[in-house]
Amino acid sequence: MVAHAEAPRGSLQHYFPGGKDQLIAEAVAWAGGYAARRVARVAAKIEDPTPGKLFEAMAAQWRDEFTAQGYDAGCPLVATVADAAATSEDLRQAVGKAFDGWQRPVAATLAELGVPAARSESLAVLMLSALEGAIVLARAHQDVAPLDTVVAELRPLLDGAVKA
């Protein structure tokens, strides 16, 4: 990484005195913040927004990326949990915070769309869990079908959660 950046060798230690774990934790925090900001951008673009359309739009971002760029990219939060969090409590906590930071705006958006507050929290967990699982399956199968499946199955449930 240092060579790719054409930076002096000591740069990594200078900017990340906590070493690799600090670098990963900061990258995870950035990724969580990015995901949270994407929720607001996606929600703002939805015509006649519903919870199901929100989830569909969130999945569409991954569908579009996989279709355009291939299946190499994945969620850095999942990768960190799978690779490093088992050996580092600090990294596990960083990933947990990043997921919380992503889950909160999803839940808030659901509440804005008419889902009762108590239910919006649990549905946000369901949405992120289903989306992350579908991303992993799409990468494994090199196919966007898992994304389409979770959208088709969850959309009626999500839209049905809106207060009448």
Side-chain angles (χ1 to χ4, degrees):
M1 175 172 30
V2 173
H4 179 71
E6 297 179 5
R9 266 264 166 239
S11 296
L12 186 62
Q13 289 79 16
H14 175 75
Y15 290 105
F16 301 100
K20 185 174 91 173
D21 280 1
Q22 181 187 0
L23 175 65
I24 294 170
E26 290 189 27
V28 162
W30 180 88
Y34 177 77
R37 290 185 301 276
R38 278 176 81 167
V39 173
R41 284 195 306 270
V42 165
K45 293 179 182 178
I46 300 171
E47 197 170 310
D48 299 320
T50 67
K53 285 182 181 179
L54 173 65
F55 185 62
E56 182 177 19
M58 291 169 64
Q61 294 175 321
W62 284 99
R63 179 184 232 295
D64 294 348
E65 183 170 331
F66 289 150
T67 301
Q69 299 174 11
Y71 294 86
D72 293 339
C75 179
L77 304 181
V78 171
T80 303
V81 168
D83 292 343
T87 59
S88 170
E89 179 61 19
D90 289 342
L91 288 178
R92 189 203 57 74
Q93 288 180 9
V95 174
K97 280 184 183 178
F99 271 122
D100 288 344
W102 185 15
Q103 181 184 328
R104 277 191 301 277
V106 172
T109 303
L110 290 173
E112 290 168 12
L113 294 173
V115 175
R119 186 111 193 260
S120 68
E121 294 288 329
S122 63
L123 288 178
V125 170
L126 179 64
M127 289 169 67
L128 295 186
S129 299
L131 181 59
E132 289 294 344
I135 291 166
V136 170
L137 290 172
R139 290 184 70 201
H141 296 296
Q142 302 282 288
D143 186 356
V144 295
L147 292 166
D148 296 338
T149 299
V150 296
V151 168
E153 292 295 330
L154 287 182
R155 190 172 185 171
L157 173 80
L158 295 169
D159 287 343
V162 174
K163 292 184 275 192

